[in-house]
Amino acid sequence: MSVLVMVSHSLKTLRQSWPPYAGAAVALAGGIGLITLATNMLGALGTVTDGLDQQNRTQIDDLGSLFGIMAGISLFLALFVVSSTFGFVVATRRRELGLLRLLGATPRQVRTLLLGEAVAVAVVGTVAGCLLGTAVTMPVLRVLHLAGVTPVLLGMPSQGAGWAIAASCGVGVALVGAWRAGARAGRTQPVEALRDAVLERRRPTVVQGLVALTAVGALVTTAWFAPGMPLLFALLVGMFLPIVAVIGANAVGGLLYTELAAVAGAAVARRDPAAHLARDLARTSGRMTAAVAAPVVAIMAVAGSMVLAVGATADWSEGADRAALRSELVVEQTDHPERIQDVPGVEVSDVRRTATVGFWDGPTEVEVVDVAGAAATRSLQARQGSLADLHGRAIAVTASYVTDLGGRVGRTYRMRVGGRKVDVRLVAVVPDAPNLWADVIVPDDLPGIGKVARDTGTVFVRTDAGADVVGTARSIRDTGAQVSTAAEWVGTVSAEARATNTVVLWVMLGPAGVYAAIAAVNAVLIGMSQRRRQTATARLLGATPAQVRRTTLWETVFTGAGALLVGGAITGFTGWLVRQAVVRDVPDAPLTVPWQALSGITAACLVVLLAAAVAGAYALRGGEAPD
């Protein structure tokens, strides 16, 4: 019976304490909206597979991993922000919970009270979040299509599965956050009801310390093994290590962020009394400081790390292409590629051809090569096995693909070529060069491949020794083809890849940035709602409204400076890690720092902090002296 009484009391207290819980509901709705959007985008990939050619189908399939990463980031941010928000809300009700304990409520009854409130908030937040995610799905899909990320406009998937996943995540996230906060609230002592002010604990608990030490251990171990880490593994680590680092930093956020905020405000505090007070508030109000800093650190670290990891991948691809490409000219958009060989000054004309075959896990795009021509123009060579055996019923694969395939040189596989089954033998493993050849390479004399092979319109041209390259290029242009030098072609391909990657990243991380802004503003508003008595006391002592607002602004600035420092350090570590793997694989790979994207992320974080500061100042606009 006592449980039913506490649940009924939960609804009553929720109506009375709705302002902080409104912030929790907004944070939850934003997180569920992110998860709904991510699941809808994954579901949309399966709505247009019929009628697509192999190239477009491959592009659609590749987006699945990107949208999956987006779903993971969305779930992480939702769990992270909502959990901290619920903890913050409970902390602001410490005196109320102490009063309940003074009246005889047991720790279990306090936990039941908070869980009942969390369920009510979860229902409202989940419904709003599902509707929000559904509403923004089609606009996001249109942006992806207009930007060229998707070859066709993806359709809206059925909402049943998406809403079920989002709703279960929403209720689960809310209950986890409330359970953690309730466990602490259950230990609230009755004497808390008699205290006017509560000094927040800054020293981490044993569990928080262990979490932080685990994260530090992961960073140190990664740094130790970085020089010998394969590129693919380094990229995977670079995607997930920032999350580990953020969790570790926030485990001790009540100490870390407050001390960094104090250091950031030291110089200004000597000159401005409002800044001095703001520095003291940021250092002593650990929960609010951590709640404001946490989403900024998360978006700075995760988004910045992904930008650097994707940029490093483009650097690696560009470096590998430049190192392997031996042809002086690259011809594109030619209707008669076979005629290029007859142009004066051309020594080798390597026509790029591809074909769709059935191999391993389904339809696969393969590269059809004349081995001698590809070796002369694209430096096609074997790391394992021998290209001399690449003829007839034989194949070669790239170094990364052989890892996925789980194969070895000499093993036989079944391939379907134009409806005919052909047993092929793996004879060589070649280096990765995404823009020069596919993951699977077959000889042009493979039985049946000539019937399904198709020209891509690209021809790699190597000129005669001593030939006039400019004159040869002019002669090729006279045939109606488009001609570029090798350096120009690699630069163009790399630039297109970087542009596409940038669009994908902004689409993936843009909603997360908006969510971070909502979370930071929520934290400030919840905190300021509990400072009205302090504000009124400051006014009684002679502080002007402008000084009170300036104090709030300075506090947010100091907190933001510490958050940006932590997020930037995590981002820099990830960039260094991935760069080590890139230069190990391709020593001459260019170093391209995506300053524009990093500046955009920093600007977004500054906007988040500005919004939080303005919200805090607005919340305190009516502070007056107490009676």
Side-chain angles (χ1 to χ4, degrees), residues 302-313:
V302 174
S305 297
M306 289 189 68
V307 166
L308 289 182
V310 171
T313 304

Side-chain angles (χ1 to χ4, degrees), residues 444-468:
D444 55 7
D445 60 349
L446 177 70
I449 198 67
K451 297 179 180 179
V452 295
R454 57 186 180 277
D455 295 331
T456 63
T458 300
V459 183
F460 300 99
V461 175
R462 186 168 182 176
T463 61
D464 292 322
D468 180 9

Side-chain angles (χ1 to χ4, degrees), residues 433-583:
N435 297 316
L436 298 183
W437 50 72
D439 287 328
V440 180
I441 302 172
V442 301
D444 55 7
D445 60 349
L446 177 70
I449 198 67
K451 297 179 180 179
V452 295
R454 57 186 180 277
D455 295 331
T456 63
T458 300
V459 183
F460 300 99
V461 175
R462 186 168 182 176
T463 61
D464 292 322
D468 180 9
V469 176
V470 176
T472 303
R474 188 182 306 111
S475 299
I476 296 175
R477 288 192 186 95
D478 291 340
T479 67
Q482 178 180 323
V483 185
S484 305
T485 64
E488 291 172 345
W489 181 81
V490 172
T492 300
V493 171
S494 178
E496 291 175 352
R498 293 179 194 276
T500 301
N501 291 338
T502 299
V503 172
V504 172
L505 285 175
W506 282 120
V507 171
M508 289 174 59
L509 300 174
V514 175
Y515 183 45
I518 294 173
V521 171
N522 260 334
V524 171
L525 291 178
I526 293 172
M528 292 303 169
S529 68
Q530 304 302 311
R531 284 190 182 175
R532 295 190 180 278
R533 189 178 184 85
Q534 296 179 25
T535 303
T537 303
R539 291 292 310 280
L540 182 64
L541 295 175
T544 65
Q547 289 174 323
V548 172
R549 290 193 294 269
R550 196 162 66 248
T551 298
T552 303
L553 292 174
W554 277 124
E555 183 181 359
T556 307
V557 168
F558 299 155
T559 301
L564 290 176
L565 180 62
V566 175
I570 296 173
T571 299
F573 179 84
T574 304
W576 171 82
L577 167 68
V578 179
R579 181 63 186 177
Q580 294 297 306
V582 169
V583 297

Side-chain angles (χ1 to χ4, degrees), residues 46-310:
T47 61
V48 292
T49 54
D50 295 337
L52 293 180
D53 58 31
Q54 181 58 35
Q55 181 178 0
N56 288 336
R57 184 176 289 108
T58 300
Q59 184 177 352
I60 292 292
D61 292 340
D62 291 341
L63 289 174
S65 58
L66 295 177
F67 292 166
I69 293 174
M70 177 183 175
I73 293 174
S74 300
L75 182 59
F76 164 70
L77 284 176
L79 179 61
F80 184 67
V81 171
V82 173
S83 177
S84 63
T85 302
F86 269 99
F88 193 20
V89 168
V90 172
T92 62
R93 300 175 59 197
R94 195 173 183 87
R95 292 189 64 203
E96 177 187 341
L97 297 176
L99 182 60
L100 288 176
R101 297 280 284 119
L102 186 65
L103 295 176
T106 65
R108 179 182 178 184
Q109 288 174 327
V110 172
R111 290 194 298 270
T112 303
L113 170 70
L114 294 175
L115 286 175
E117 294 173 347
V119 170
V121 172
V123 171
V124 175
T126 299
V127 171
C130 289
L131 294 175
L132 175 64
T134 300
V136 301
T137 296
M138 283 310 301
V140 171
L141 293 177
R142 289 191 183 94
V143 170
L144 287 173
H145 179 54
L146 292 175
V149 177
T150 57
V152 295
L153 178 61
L154 303 178
M156 174 70 76
S158 173
Q159 294 300 287
W163 281 22
I165 295 173
S168 60
C169 289
V171 175
V173 165
L175 292 181
V176 167
W179 177 81
R180 289 182 66 251
R184 291 193 299 269
R187 296 191 292 270
T188 302
Q189 299 301 316
V191 71
E192 301 291 353
L194 306 178
R195 294 181 180 175
D196 238 6
V198 178
L199 293 177
E200 297 182 9
R201 172 176 178 154
R202 298 172 67 242
R203 179 170 55 86
T205 64
V206 174
V207 174
Q208 290 172 330
L210 290 176
V211 171
L213 287 176
T214 301
V216 171
L219 293 172
V220 172
T221 303
T222 302
W224 178 267
F225 289 105
M229 192 176 294
L231 178 61
L232 181 59
F233 187 71
L235 289 173
L236 292 175
V237 172
M239 291 291 183
F240 295 103
L241 188 64
I243 295 178
V244 175
V246 169
I247 292 174
N250 284 282
V252 293
L255 177 62
L256 175 63
Y257 298 139
T258 54
E259 289 300 322
L260 289 176
V263 171
V268 184
R270 301 189 188 99
R271 305 173 184 176
D272 186 354
H276 191 283
L277 178 60
R279 178 174 179 263
D280 291 341
L281 286 172
R283 190 172 187 180
T284 56
S285 304
R287 288 193 178 277
M288 179 172 170
T289 301
V292 174
V296 176
V297 172
I299 196 64
M300 181 73 182
V302 174
S305 297
M306 289 189 68
V307 166
L308 289 182
V310 171

